[in-house]
Amino acid sequence: MTAPTAPRGGPATGRGCPVDLPGPEGDNSIAREPLWYAYGAGDDEPAAPEWTWTPEPPPDDHVPPPPPRGRGARTTLPLGTVDLLERMPFPWVPGGPGRTGGASVSGGPGPAGGTPVPGGPRVTDPLGRALVTAFGPQRREPENPYNDHRSYASPRCLFPVHAFVDGGGEDPWRLLEPDRHALTGAPGPGPGRRIALTGRYTAIPSAYKWFRGSLVAIELGIVLRALSIGLELFGLPARLRPPDAGAHAVLDGIGLDRTWEWSLPFVLDVGDPPTATAAGTAPEPVPSDVARRDPALADLVRINRTQTYTGDSVPLTTAVPAGLPASRRTPDWAELLWQRHSGRMPRALHGMTGRRRRVPAEALDTALRWLAVPPPGPELAAAFDAVRITVVTQGVDGHEDGVHRAQVGTARLLRRDAEAPALLEEHYGYGVSPVNGCGIENAPMSVFLSVRPRELFARLGPAGWGAAQHACGWAVHGLCLSAAASGLFARPVRAFKEIPVQRVLGLEEDETIVLSAVVGVPQDTGGALLDLRL
């Protein structure tokens, strides 16, 4: 099947790309991912994998495996973290202008009506509070088919990425269980020194096939930024060690029953110096009986095991843009994290809803500043540098309706096009129906992050594929927080039909969309929001 004629803007002018599309859906962007990976690795005529046409039960029939439960004693995480976050004005961070660093929060109001006073009494268990900030449940929405909600977006609220904390000792790794507000496992002789982030592929419906690997990689980038912000707010320096030769040993050492279900971990060393890790053997392969039932899973695990880095650990850099304006809607960090959402629907319906309304220029300008913050480390930064950001706008003050390219925190108009939002909704996989809402046509901003796979592989080899997904997840979490500060919602999505959307955006033919997000004006659905914060 060949690409359809461009609906607007004419054909793109790139070099060769995979155009033989798998499956009956043709230009479904998720189904094209294995082709893009093969093309990036050097195959000019990639063929769809045989498992492309393997029937799978629909996603709503998926029953995820029981969540991992830690073994041993359970240590309750500190209470009152939300109270401390309420005393931290947004966008203040320790060490920012006029502030001092360190995990220090005053017990009383400050000079600006509740702002923390630098140099006040130190908080207890700053690492525990950073973990609560990043992972703690925020709310339950009884009308929402997907619950509970945290401060970051996750596909279908499945949260496949888990955190494990190493406190030293013979059995060092403890599981973070956000729903139990606890770390489970034998506490080590000292405070937590390492955090491992790894994603469980089987938590995601098998209908997503190979895309389960991408969803985990994207969420790892999202979680990395959420955790970086938590550590930054509580003044904890850390170093990041992307998956390297020692990642196999870490995955084995965590003590998971079936390591083949999990991605190679990212490790954050909290404090200085970082903990040394020995190189380990490759984790166990996907068992043959599982591989026969789910060949796409076996393939995505094989690809993940090739995506390792060779550099040293690197210090976490700031995850928050400098000089952000204050927000009347989210005056403190607790309110910002509470307000982040993906477009609420009423009466247990699916999708997103929004209304058309002009938004101030600041909404786009600050979003671009959040999007411009690079992730830590040379490999992730190199992948981030290869990402192109395209924004479709309508009704944004100071910006013409149409297609824009983001460049160094600013937007350059590529093409005036008042019809582009309607075209994007037309090419979205989940349009308006009796059970589904779709707010794309009314959205003031739709943001697309894309890469050219050949360029990515030339820069970073096989690791470039995952690194780009991590980098895009990192960027989109910043976009979600920026939207919350502007009173908007941001919904990360990947359900666009890729070929016609390429044409709407003016992308090259050898350029694929890694991740996108719809930023809209929320409607009041009248539903309850049950506060779960501790």
Side-chain angles (χ1 to χ4, degrees), residues 39-79:
Y39 173 73
D43 188 346
D44 287 329
E45 297 181 358
E50 292 184 3
W51 47 255
T52 297
W53 294 275
T54 303
E56 298 285 355
D60 287 346
D61 289 351
H62 173 67
V63 178
R69 293 301 185 190
R71 303 179 180 90
R74 185 172 299 131
T75 304
T76 302
L77 291 167
L79 300 175

Side-chain angles (χ1 to χ4, degrees), residues 510-531:
D510 62 344
E511 187 172 3
T512 181
I513 297 166
V514 178
L515 185 60
S516 47
V518 178
V519 181
V521 179
Q523 289 187 340
D524 184 3
T525 64
L529 302 178
L530 307 182
D531 196 338

Side-chain angles (χ1 to χ4, degrees), residues 382-404:
F384 179 80
D385 189 55
V387 173
R388 179 153 64 166
I389 300 175
T390 307
V391 186
V392 174
T393 65
Q394 68 172 343
V396 179
D397 292 342
H399 300 274
E400 297 194 56
D401 293 357
V403 182
H404 302 256

Side-chain angles (χ1 to χ4, degrees), residues 224-241:
L224 178 60
R225 193 165 196 177
L227 181 55
S228 295
I229 290 173
L231 294 170
E232 190 170 0
L233 288 175
F234 287 97
L236 292 172
R239 297 182 68 88
L240 173 67
R241 185 184 305 139

Side-chain angles (χ1 to χ4, degrees), residues 36 45 68 137 151 195 197 218 221 266 271 292 299 338 412 418 485 488:
W36 281 117
E45 297 181 358
S151 60
I195 303 170
L197 303 174
I218 288 167
F266 278 75
R292 285 193 297 271
D299 198 39
W338 168 264
R412 175 179 63 85
L488 306 173

Side-chain angles (χ1 to χ4, degrees), residues 11-27:
T13 57
R15 295 184 291 277
C17 69
V19 294
D20 293 324
L21 305 176
E25 295 182 78
D27 56 6

